């Protein structure tokens, strides 16, 4: 399988923000000996990492997808303001989004921090799941006539 990389141009079928080769470089520079396996294993871990990043952080990332309907991944994004030395840039016209000093991340940019996060999560994905299933714990709290029970993260309450 060839891993399709999002390069900032809304690549059709993209599954990762970074290649296995670039992830190898990242982990080698940091001495992460646990980054092992075939390219296919590493690519699967990168896909899991990017699915997790997109799913977990999509509501927290600034701006919006450049092509909300057709774009397969959450990056690149438009309207992501850069805060520089406490100064926040506002009201920059759309034509300046991709200029060097507009105060916005370029609309064809995948931030290095996103790529680095994908590498870190891919390392974790090699040894386990990134998103565990719901908590199976049971909790109960009773105050006077109100009895509240939690199962699998779901609230079940009653009044006596």
């Amino acid at each position: 399988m060839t891993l399709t990389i999002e390069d900032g141009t809304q690549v059709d079928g993209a599954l990762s923000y970074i290649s296995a080769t670039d992830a190898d470089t990242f982990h080698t520079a940091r001495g992460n000996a646990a980054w092992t396996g075939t390219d296919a294993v590493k690519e699967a871990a990168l896909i899991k990492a990017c699915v997790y990043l997109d799913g977990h952080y999509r509501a927290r990332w600034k701006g919006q997808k450049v092509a909300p309907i057709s774009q397969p991944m959450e990056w690149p994004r438009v309207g992501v303001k850069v805060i520089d030395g406490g100064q926040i840039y506002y009201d920059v016209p759309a034509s300046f989004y991709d200029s060097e000093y507009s105060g916005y991340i370029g609309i064809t940019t995948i931030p290095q921090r996103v790529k680095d996060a994908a590498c870190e999560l891919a390392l974790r994905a090699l040894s386990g799941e990134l998103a565990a299933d719901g908590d199976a714990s049971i909790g109960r709290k009773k105050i006077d006539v109100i009895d509240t029970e939690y199962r699998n993260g779901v609230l079940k309450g009653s009044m006596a």
Side-chain angles (χ1 to χ4, degrees), residues 32-116:
N32 293 333
W35 181 248
T36 60
T38 65
D39 281 348
V41 168
K42 291 175 181 178
E43 289 174 354
L46 286 166
I47 292 169
K48 288 178 183 179
C50 291
V51 166
Y52 181 87
L53 278 172
D54 280 356
H56 193 74
Y57 292 102
R58 93 174 14 109
R60 297 180 194 181
W61 279 328
K62 303 299 181 197
Q64 64 185 31
K65 292 166 70 170
V66 173
I69 303 290
S70 61
Q71 185 175 319
M73 300 184 77
E74 289 298 315
W75 288 91
R77 299 178 77 77
V78 65
V80 180
K81 294 178 186 143
V82 176
I83 300 173
D84 183 19
Q87 180 179 2
I88 301 175
Y89 300 87
Y90 292 101
D91 302 324
V92 176
S95 61
F96 291 116
Y97 279 153
D98 214 17
S99 66
E100 187 176 350
Y101 298 105
S102 68
Y104 287 82
I105 291 176
I107 61 172
T108 58
T109 300
I110 309 297
Q112 188 60 47
R113 288 182 179 182
V114 171
K115 294 176 184 180
D116 292 351

